[in-house]
Amino acid sequence: MLFSYNKFHQAAFMNVANEITGGVNVRYSDIETYFSLKKENEKLRAQNARLLNQLRADFAWADSSLILFADTIKVDSIEQYRKFLFLPAEVISNTVSSQTNYLMLHRGSRQGVGINMGVVGPDGVLGTVVQVSNNMCVVMSLLHRQSKIASVLKKSGELGEVSWDGKNPQFVTLTKIPKSVEVKKGDTVVTSQFSDKYPPGQLVGYIEEVASDQSSNTYILKLRTATNFFNVKHAYIVNNLQQAEMEMLEKMIKKDNE
């Protein structure tokens, strides 16, 4: 009766009720948002994969500069010339403290994954697929003593090789860069256009220290990895759709030289 017939008490009651209801709704919204994070992450991975698959570097055209085509000849779809295809995957395990570190991804042969495919993350190169099951795969991390990745200085295009010395997970080493090339701290290192695993231009790291190799006329460059391997959650497996044709030609060359 007090709240029904007294406008002052009725207004006070409504204010208190709205405050309590609002607080409950905020908490409910926070809880609902938390449980929907996984679905949102999956959407973001799929969206990023679609964007990566539209990059110009994912396509390769046969050299036709000296061939004339008649107007009546059918023009193939651009999909016939696609070289790299990105497959989104969730990282379900990862190590950084061993001399031989690996990642495990929740995507396998049934989803198009094969051995020797390159793997990148949102920030840069992660490693190479070395084992595949039906729905999962194991990736040799960039932080593995046997990992070797052909890379170039983004500024000059000079080719070198990136490896890990097994010490600090934040740094790798770039070698085989001639001393005649100008390098400095902060320069960017990316994947080479000659790689059969990665599209050109994928980030590898940034030069942190420059040192001379006393046994040769080259540098030993310390790189800070573009990827923070302590916090890797998402990955993209790179499928080279022209790999089979490349391997066929390599086998033909070997056979001819036997």
Side-chain angles (χ1 to χ4, degrees):
M1 292 177 64
L2 178 65
F3 288 106
S4 298
Y5 296 102
N6 188 303
K7 292 184 177 181
F8 174 78
H9 289 85
Q10 188 177 40
F13 172 77
M14 292 299 295
N15 287 336
V16 172
N18 288 337
E19 185 174 348
I20 294 173
T21 303
V24 172
N25 287 336
V26 169
R27 291 181 179 273
Y28 176 80
S29 177
D30 290 342
I31 294 172
E32 187 179 32
T33 300
Y34 175 80
F35 284 106
S36 65
L37 282 177
K38 183 176 181 180
K39 183 177 292 185
E40 291 300 317
N41 283 334
E42 290 175 354
K43 290 181 180 178
L44 286 173
R45 281 200 303 271
Q47 184 180 39
N48 287 336
R50 286 195 297 271
L51 292 174
L52 287 169
N53 284 325
Q54 294 175 13
L55 293 175
R56 182 179 179 85
D58 301 336
F59 297 85
W61 291 267
D63 186 357
S64 60
S65 57
L66 299 179
I67 300 176
L68 298 177
F69 292 93
D71 293 340
T72 55
I73 294 179
K74 180 180 178 181
V75 178
D76 289 335
S77 165
I78 195 170
E79 291 298 322
Q80 298 296 323
Y81 301 100
R82 174 179 285 277
K83 184 174 183 181
F84 295 105
L85 181 67
F86 288 78
L87 310 173
E90 179 184 3
V91 178
I92 55 180
S93 70
N94 176 36
T95 62
V96 295
S97 58
S98 172
Q99 295 286 298
T100 54
N101 294 297
Y102 295 93
L103 302 94
M104 185 175 291
L105 309 182
H106 200 183
R107 191 176 185 119
S109 58
R110 289 180 177 174
Q111 294 82 41
V113 180
I115 291 177
N116 209 36
M117 289 184 179
V119 181
V120 299
D123 299 316
V125 172
L126 295 180
T128 306
V129 175
V130 292
Q131 293 290 340
V132 180
S133 64
N134 288 337
N135 300 295
M136 299 181 188
C137 66
V138 176
V139 177
M140 177 192 289
S141 173
L142 181 64
L143 306 180
H144 191 292
R145 290 300 300 270
Q146 296 179 6
S147 174
K148 308 287 182 184
I149 295 181
S151 304
V152 298
L153 295 171
K154 184 177 181 180
K155 182 171 62 177
S156 65
E158 199 69 33
L159 181 66
E161 184 178 77
V162 170
S163 59
W164 188 53
D165 60 7
K167 297 177 181 179
N168 192 329
Q170 294 180 314
F171 299 98
V172 291
T173 303
L174 175 64
T175 56
K176 302 182 180 180
I177 299 295
K179 292 179 182 177
S180 58
V181 177
E182 181 182 354
V183 295
K184 61 181 180 179
K185 182 178 179 179
D187 284 353
T188 303
V189 177
V190 298
T191 52
S192 166
Q193 68 271 28
F194 303 118
S195 173
D196 62 344
K197 297 183 181 68
Y198 306 97
Q202 294 294 309
L203 278 174
V204 178
Y206 307 95
I207 295 178
E208 188 74 15
E209 293 180 6
V210 179
S212 296
D213 186 352
Q214 301 302 323
S215 63
S216 67
N217 194 34
T218 60
Y219 288 116
I220 298 177
L221 304 173
K222 184 178 181 180
L223 308 183
R224 180 178 294 276
T225 59
T227 297
N228 178 5
F229 282 88
F230 291 94
N231 187 28
V232 179
K233 297 180 180 178
H234 309 289
Y236 301 93
I237 302 164
V238 184
N239 183 7
N240 184 347
L241 302 179
Q242 298 180 7
Q243 184 67 39
E245 185 175 353
M246 294 169 64
E247 291 177 353
M248 179 187 69
L249 290 173
E250 289 174 355
K251 289 180 180 178
M252 291 173 64
I253 293 173
K254 291 179 180 179
K255 186 176 180 180
D256 291 341
N257 292 331
E258 289 179 353

